[in-house]
Amino acid sequence: MYPGGHPLTRFGATILDAEGLRLTAEEKTFFAAADPFGFILFARNIDSPEQVRALCAEMRDAVGREAPITIDQEGGRVQRLRAPLWREWPAPLDQVRAAGEHAEEVMYLRYRLIADELHALGIDSNCAPLVDVAGPTTHPFLQNRCYGFDAATVARMGRAAANGLLHGGVLPVVKHIPGHGRAEADSHLDLPMVDAPHEVLSKSDFAPFAALNDLPLGMTAHLVYSAIDSAPATTSARMMAVIRDEIGFDGLIMTDDISMKALRGSLGGLSRAAIEAGCDVILHCNGTMDERREVAEAAGRMTEIAQRRAERALAARKTPVPVDIPALSAKLDALINGRVDD
């Protein structure tokens, strides 16, 4: 038996979404057959705490195990849980800048509190930390989602964020591996091209991911590093070799949303290409039921090595470390407002 009591078979090599606030009968039947490794939630899936908990339970019931459920709760523009039911967060880069010498502690507390909100809903993964290194020409869709402008700072902030999530019982997904900061185009709409030399990328863009290569889950970047390969990283065996061998990341790697416009081709063809390149799981979002079926069929079941990585990731889910959440919230507010000294 695999963790959660699922029969002895490999998981489906997908992470999939749902259309609304509860699963339809068609979705329940499809998920039971496709058996995705996990699920992802969006704003359209969020109404109230009770509703989110019920939806998470339905997703897990459909596959018959405690499948991971993730979400994009970075803060700033990218947060699915919003006021008045949940806390609003500033953009990460704005918070790091405002926190000054307290930035690491602030980032830890920020993501520990986010983890508390997620875990209470049945959500046990978050698509963070984002450890892309920002630059002066980073596209606006990404820049203020970053944690800094140099690799060392970004790595320290990323570690603090990851620890906050892990201590709150939430699996972090480090993104966008091996580094999206040089992108001058929005990969939701276009394919960014990066022409920096490999040695420059290794010392800067790739470095935070190497520092966090022990994390259980990672998400790819949809962009071309022309010094290494002409194919986007998500579908490039050469880039996956860089991620595995040079960066040293041996956690489960999911694609960024396979339906983003940076990638050209059919969803099935792109899914097969990403798996063949070395990705473990295909993330598919915001599609029709027919598109989900196409992706699930193309992705198939996890490879043997992907299954082992998936099981290691699931084993990293821990019971939250008991803390006084109101006290942590008060400490964060005091740090942000400059009322706490070293």
Side-chain angles (χ1 to χ4, degrees):
M1 302 289 283
Y2 283 127
H6 197 64
L8 189 61
T9 184
R10 295 175 190 167
F11 305 138
T14 51
I15 295 174
L16 302 174
D17 62 347
E19 183 62 32
L21 300 177
R22 300 292 290 267
L23 294 188
T24 65
E26 184 180 23
E27 286 174 329
K28 290 178 181 179
T29 299
F30 166 65
F31 291 145
D35 190 23
F37 168 66
F39 299 93
I40 186 168
L41 302 182
F42 291 91
R44 67 177 181 274
N45 306 123
I46 308 295
D47 180 54
S48 69
E50 296 76 15
Q51 168 269 320
V52 176
R53 283 192 287 268
L55 177 59
C56 290
E58 286 182 334
M59 288 173 162
R60 291 180 170 122
D61 286 346
V63 295
R65 56 184 164 82
E66 289 297 305
I69 298 176
T70 196
I71 195 168
D72 287 293
Q73 192 71 359
E74 297 176 11
R77 288 179 294 108
V78 182
Q79 53 183 324
R80 312 306 182 198
L81 305 179
R82 294 276 184 181
L85 294 177
W86 297 280
R87 185 166 179 157
E88 290 282 338
W89 299 95
L93 186 58
D94 295 342
Q95 186 133 70
V96 169
R97 284 169 161 167
E101 61 184 341
H102 298 296
E104 278 184 78
E105 186 173 11
V106 164
M107 289 296 278
Y108 173 84
L109 293 170
R110 170 191 174 106
Y111 285 97
R112 179 64 184 84
L113 293 171
I114 287 174
D116 183 69
E117 291 188 329
L118 297 181
H119 196 270
L121 298 173
I123 302 168
D124 56 6
S125 174
N126 189 14
C127 295
L130 185 151
V131 297
D132 304 317
V133 180
T137 61
T138 301
H139 192 281
F141 100 92
L142 184 70
Q143 190 179 76
N144 73 352
R145 297 165 59 193
C146 298
Y147 302 165
F149 290 84
D150 67 272
T153 296
V154 170
R156 287 190 294 106
M157 300 306 145
R159 177 65 68 184
N163 285 342
L165 292 169
L166 286 166
H167 294 169
V170 170
L171 292 174
V173 180
V174 63
K175 63 186 186 185
H176 303 87
I177 194 166
H180 210 304
R182 292 180 189 268
E184 298 181 18
D186 182 349
S187 56
H188 293 87
L189 306 173
D190 298 293
L191 177 61
M193 309 290 289
V194 172
D195 60 5
H198 190 163
E199 59 269 22
V200 171
L201 294 169
S202 296
K203 293 177 181 177
S204 56
D205 305 58
F206 301 170
F209 296 94
L212 275 65
N213 65 11
D214 58 308
L215 293 182
L217 299 164
M219 177 187 290
T220 64
H222 292 331
L223 67 163
V224 169
Y225 304 85
S226 60
I228 303 171
D229 196 2
S230 60
T234 300
T235 56
S236 167
R238 291 181 183 175
M239 287 309 309
M240 292 304 299
V242 168
I243 291 168
R244 295 300 190 190
D245 301 333
E246 178 183 333
I247 293 173
F249 189 86
D250 194 35
L252 186 81
I253 292 182
M254 66 184 75
T255 69
D256 204 344
D257 178 10
I258 203 70
S259 67
M260 287 165 62
K261 303 305 181 185
L263 303 180
R264 297 288 185 267
S266 70
L267 291 173
L270 290 169
S271 298
R272 283 188 290 272
I275 295 293
E276 289 170 1
C279 293
D280 298 309
V281 178
I282 305 300
L283 173 66
H284 178 244
C285 313
N286 305 311
T288 65
M289 180 59 77
D290 285 343
E291 288 171 335
R292 290 185 211 158
R293 289 194 177 98
E294 180 182 358
V295 168
E297 181 177 354
R301 295 280 168 170
M302 286 187 172
T303 65
E304 184 177 347
I305 191 170
Q307 182 73 34
R308 290 200 299 268
R309 290 176 181 136
E311 292 174 5
R312 286 204 308 266
L314 294 177
R317 291 188 297 192
K318 305 296 184 184
T319 301
V321 177
V323 291
D324 184 336
I325 291 296
L328 290 189
S329 182
K331 186 173 185 180
L332 175 61
D333 292 340
L335 286 167
I336 291 171
N337 294 311
R339 297 195 303 267
V340 172
D341 298 324
D342 288 340

